[in-house]
Amino acid sequence: MNQYSIAIIGGDGIGPDVVKEAGKVLKAAGLNYEGQEFDLGGARYLKDGEILSDETLEELRKFDAILLGAVGTPEVPPGVIERGLLLKMRFDLDQYINLRPFFSPTSPSGQAIDMVCVRENTEGPYVGEGGVLRRGTKGEVATQGSVNTRHGVERCIRYAFELAQSRPKKHLTMVHKTNVLTFAGDLWNRTFNEVALEYPDVKTAYSHIDAACIYFVEDPVRFDVIVTDNLFGDILTDLGGAVSGGIGRAASGNLNPTRQTPSMFEPVHGSAPDIAGKNLADPRAAIISAAMMCEFLGENEVAQKIRKALEITTAFVGSTTQIGDEIAQACK
């Protein structure tokens, strides 16, 4: 087994608590790694103004992967940490795929939910294009554009087709709003149809974002792999977490599939400052994210140990450390 260097960003609130349990499980499952902790997040920003300096970003580039807990504190205005840390990391490290798996043994139809959302992660409305005129007046004008490039859209769609081809159902649904967003939607639709010709064994479908939200609630088993843009993916994946066991157990990977820079893995729940340090947070989303990291690193045996342990302990109820201990023990 290779030895890996993992950058660990505990962050704020319950972030350090859940990341600690993820590390415990990784060790128990047999991943050979050295972790280096980075003090980043809302608390660090309040202390000395550091969000993510260029120097720290260059240091992060040296690692094989990044494991993050959660960031954000009530004292820091919304958007400061999100844009300065999370989005900067995604953009500068070109983590252009946001991968969000959803599994639940039950659904409204009684069948198991097993779907994966591939969200484009570096374009759309999140690039910061836009501006404000006459701020604070009755004549204020705010614009926020969605930036979509053929290059960015195609590499995301191609990744989704490759993923769908590797799964038993071999089915891929594109989600957008092509009837209203006629420029961005047309680019996505044409690119999707053109790439589909190269994957004749993958069945395809299309759904408007509003309809997809209904289907996620009423009939999630219709989906296998979903591909969508940055904004729609942000919304849809939170809904996916809610219908498959709760956002507290939702995991994600921010991937650079070229592996030229490290990918970052994180639970998608918030920092929950109200329960920070109380040993109440469920660390399973962080542990699933750690399993995703192992898979991306090619350590499939370690990842399988963790996933099997999670299945065995899915109904276990306890404190943060008790859940971590139970899953770690099941890995041995």
Side-chain angles (χ1 to χ4, degrees):
M1 181 185 290
N2 295 324
Q3 182 172 29
Y4 301 96
S5 58
I6 310 298
I8 299 171
I9 304 172
D12 302 307
I14 62 171
D17 302 334
V18 298
V19 163
K20 181 179 178 181
E21 300 310 308
K24 180 192 299 181
V25 171
L26 285 171
K27 291 290 187 183
L31 186 70
N32 184 15
Y33 79 97
E34 289 293 331
Q36 180 177 331
E37 295 189 8
F38 286 80
D39 179 18
L40 297 170
R44 172 67 187 276
Y45 173 73
L46 290 171
K47 183 168 60 178
D48 61 13
E50 165 80 1
I51 303 179
L52 179 60
S53 67
D54 291 340
E55 292 76 17
T56 301
L57 186 62
E58 285 306 307
E59 193 174 350
L60 288 172
R61 288 180 185 274
K62 302 173 185 176
F63 288 83
D64 295 307
I66 302 165
L67 185 62
L68 183 143
V71 294
T73 59
E75 297 84 4
V76 180
V80 173
I81 303 300
E82 291 83 354
R83 295 206 68 86
L85 176 58
L86 299 179
L87 293 188
K88 181 175 181 178
M89 204 183 310
R90 292 174 190 175
F91 294 158
D92 287 13
L93 299 180
D94 202 22
Q95 298 168 344
Y96 62 87
I97 295 293
N98 182 261
L99 193 67
R100 298 276 296 273
F102 303 105
F103 178 80
S104 174
T106 60
S107 71
S109 66
Q111 297 174 275
I113 298 170
D114 184 7
M115 58 184 180
V116 184
C117 187
V118 177
R119 166 190 170 193
E120 199 292 314
N121 210 31
T122 59
E123 294 189 347
Y126 289 24
V127 301
E129 190 277 337
V132 177
L133 294 173
R134 297 187 292 276
R135 182 181 176 87
T137 72
K138 292 184 178 180
E140 182 172 345
V141 178
T143 62
Q144 193 84 58
S146 178
V147 176
N148 299 264
T149 68
R150 171 68 190 224
H151 167 71
V153 171
E154 182 173 340
R155 66 181 182 174
C156 178
I157 287 173
R158 193 170 295 279
Y159 179 92
F161 268 104
E162 291 285 343
L163 178 61
Q165 192 174 54
S166 71
R167 289 167 60 89
K169 287 185 179 179
K170 298 185 186 300
H171 190 277
L172 177 61
T173 303
M174 189 185 91
V175 172
H176 211 279
K177 191 67 175 173
T178 56
N179 60 335
V180 175
L181 303 178
T182 54
F183 300 120
D186 178 60
L187 173 57
W188 273 83
N189 195 47
R190 281 186 292 108
T191 306
F192 184 82
N193 291 334
E194 290 170 20
V195 175
L197 297 175
E198 302 177 35
Y199 298 86
D201 54 336
V202 176
K203 299 180 288 292
T204 61
Y206 171 79
S207 179
H208 289 324
I209 178 61
D210 43 354
C213 289
I214 295 172
Y215 299 145
F216 260 47
V217 174
E218 295 183 347
D219 187 27
V221 297
R222 72 163 56 201
F223 294 108
D224 180 22
V225 180
I226 303 104
V227 64
T228 189
D229 83 343
N230 209 338
L231 177 59
F232 294 147
D234 193 1
I235 297 166
L236 196 61
T237 52
D238 279 358
L239 181 57
V243 302
S244 61
I247 199 71
R249 296 192 182 186
S252 75
N254 297 277
L255 310 181
N256 182 315
T258 70
R259 303 174 189 271
Q260 294 176 352
T261 58
S263 296
M264 189 265 283
F265 301 84
E266 61 172 324
V268 298
H269 56 63
S271 59
D274 56 323
I275 60 170
K278 296 182 179 180
N279 208 19
L280 296 175
D282 189 335
R284 272 173 270 230
I287 294 168
I288 297 168
S289 299
M292 293 176 67
M293 180 183 73
C294 293
E295 289 169 339
F296 191 77
L297 292 172
E299 298 295 341
N300 295 319
E301 184 177 337
V302 175
Q304 192 57 33
K305 277 187 183 181
I306 297 173
R307 292 195 179 279
K308 185 176 180 181
L310 283 159
E311 289 176 14
I312 294 170
T313 61
T314 185
F316 181 82
V317 177
S319 67
T320 306
T321 53
Q322 286 173 333
I323 294 171
D325 288 343
E326 192 77 8
I327 295 171
Q329 183 61 39
C331 285
K332 297 177 180 178

